[in-house]
Amino acid sequence: MPMTRKRPAAPVRSSAPSTTSEDHATATALKLWLTLARAYQAAAELSRMDIASHGLNPAEFSILEALYHKGPLLLGELQRKALVSSGGTTFLVDRLEGRGLLERQACPNDRRARYAALTRDGQALMKRIFPVHARAMREAMAGLPATEQRAVTALLKKLGLAAAARAAANPACREGIADG
């Protein structure tokens, strides 16, 4: 059997430009973005699994959780609290109303406006499952002690506010936000 010779590996060449302080800043920002995204994906998956164990999806849970902690909300307020699109909010409210977990209530000051509120069954469900979910999220964050969790929270809030301000100042972002 003839022996085959392995070709020597080609030298690895980077297409990256020479390193400058701007390149380091960009590399640092990209590493932060990837690290943030991976950490979010891991924690979100733990959250999704816990929520699914209660027969809900994350968007449904978000709607119920907002109403559980804030009480009845106008549908527009609920949309902002639950971070769901307008059409998504209507769909989710219809679905949760069909399951008997929430109800629409008339607004006494504006006949066009509607509130969403938990029913007794919705309140009982959230009273039972929210503490379980809170424990699951505490365990998901247990990789950092409480002091570091508070520090990361403050830093991420600062980062989020700065990114939101940049997006608001950028016409292309404003159009994309308005379309979404």
Side-chain angles (χ1 to χ4, degrees):
M1 180 182 244
M3 302 233 1
T4 58
R5 270 176 95 175
K6 289 185 179 180
R7 280 196 305 179
V12 177
R13 293 191 183 154
S14 172
S15 61
S18 62
T19 58
T20 65
S21 62
E22 187 173 317
D23 296 333
H24 288 298
T26 299
T28 299
L30 290 172
K31 184 171 180 78
L32 171 60
W33 172 245
L34 288 173
T35 303
L36 178 63
R38 287 181 179 134
Y40 172 77
Q41 285 177 337
E45 181 59 16
L46 291 170
S47 176
R48 188 200 61 73
M49 289 182 341
D50 176 69
I51 290 167
S53 75
H54 302 293
L56 298 167
N57 67 43
E60 292 168 334
F61 183 84
S62 180
I63 295 283
L64 295 173
E65 190 272 335
L67 295 172
Y68 182 65
H69 286 103
K70 301 292 183 185
L73 293 170
L74 289 169
L75 294 180
E77 293 173 318
L78 182 57
Q79 173 191 346
R80 287 184 292 281
K81 298 284 184 203
L83 301 176
V84 178
S85 70
S86 177
T89 301
T90 300
F91 172 77
L92 290 165
V93 167
D94 287 347
R95 195 149 117 186
L96 293 167
E97 188 175 34
R99 291 174 62 183
L101 298 174
L102 65 77
E103 62 187 0
R104 286 181 170 89
Q105 299 174 343
C107 175
N109 303 330
D110 185 347
R111 291 187 343 204
R112 298 166 297 170
R114 306 288 282 169
Y115 283 94
L118 291 178
T119 61
R120 284 188 183 161
D121 287 348
Q123 187 73 27
L125 174 70
M126 290 306 291
K127 186 176 183 179
R128 180 174 53 81
I129 71 172
F130 185 78
V132 175
H133 182 70
R135 275 192 304 278
M137 292 300 86
R138 185 183 65 223
E139 290 170 13
M141 300 299 130
L144 296 176
T147 53
E148 289 181 2
Q149 288 179 32
R150 286 189 293 275
V152 168
T153 299
L155 289 169
L156 289 174
K157 183 174 183 175
K158 182 178 178 180
L159 178 63
L161 291 172
R166 283 182 147 321
N170 183 327
C173 287
R174 283 197 305 273
E175 290 171 13
I177 292 170
D179 293 343

